[in-house]
Amino acid sequence: MELDSLYQEVILDHYKHPQHKGLNPVFSAQVHHVNTSCGDEVTLNVTIKDRKITGISWDGQGCSISQASVSMLTDLLIDKTLEEAEVITHSFSELMASKGTSTGDADLLEDAVAFAGVSKFPSRVKCALLGWMAFKDAAVQSQGESK
Ligand code: ZN
């Protein structure tokens, strides 16, 4: 696959130096998602208080795209409200569905626009979305519990 080399560096940097990796035993919701087509796995522990995401910790294994994407997700979503997180998650999903036609909203997605080139490769889109799907699942679970 061809990726702009700067973007490739951003992804590799998160892969080598993952943010918020290592599961926090205190959480509101825990989810485990697997991308069978590539063998990627991620476990997310999400803490939500008063509709604000106060913590996301994670563990996982798999390709650099899947692991770097989770790392960026934690940077982007911690300290956001659920509403803000939904906007960011939606924007990332749209970027991944763009088949290479979108460069992404850098105001919302920051470093995660580095995945724009990945959207041209359907098999890798699943890798990039793994952590985001897991987060959506965790957000739904934690809201169910608070009611
Ligand atoms: Zn993968």
Side-chain angles (χ1 to χ4, degrees):
M1 60 190 287
E2 291 171 30
L3 282 178
D4 180 273
S5 61
L6 174 71
Y7 279 179
Q8 204 159 17
E9 249 174 62
V10 173
I11 291 171
L12 280 177
D13 190 51
H14 271 271
Y15 180 58
K16 288 179 188 160
H17 308 284
Q19 305 297 304
H20 308 284
K21 192 172 180 183
L23 292 171
N24 185 332
V26 180
F27 53 83
S28 324
Q30 180 176 62
V31 293
H32 178 73
H33 276 216
V34 178
N35 171 21
T36 48
S37 61
C38 181
D40 310 317
E41 290 188 36
V42 62
T43 302
L44 280 190
N45 285 1
V46 179
T47 306
I48 295 168
K49 281 179 190 147
D50 300 327
R51 301 190 63 75
K52 189 174 177 185
I53 299 150
T54 56
I56 306 174
S57 63
W58 66 283
D59 200 8
Q61 56 184 25
C63 69
S64 56
I65 290 174
S66 66
Q67 304 301 300
S69 185
V70 183
S71 173
M72 284 187 212
L73 174 150
T74 62
D75 267 354
L76 281 168
L77 300 187
I78 291 172
D79 290 332
K80 298 290 197 302
T81 65
L82 284 172
E83 288 72 22
E84 288 166 335
E86 197 178 317
V87 171
I88 294 167
T89 303
H90 182 71
S91 178
F92 189 76
S93 301
E94 276 194 337
L95 176 60
M96 285 301 102
S98 73
K99 299 186 171 71
T101 61
S102 169
T103 53
D105 183 339
D107 290 337
L108 273 180
L109 297 176
E110 300 177 20
D111 277 359
V113 295
F115 290 99
V118 173
S119 70
K120 284 181 273 187
F121 305 90
S123 61
R124 308 317 298 274
V125 166
K126 285 185 188 170
C127 302
L129 283 175
L130 178 67
W132 297 79
M133 294 297 138
F135 172 77
K136 272 191 190 178
D137 201 4
V140 169
Q141 276 190 30
S142 67
Q143 288 179 75
E145 272 172 26
S146 65
K147 274 171 196 165

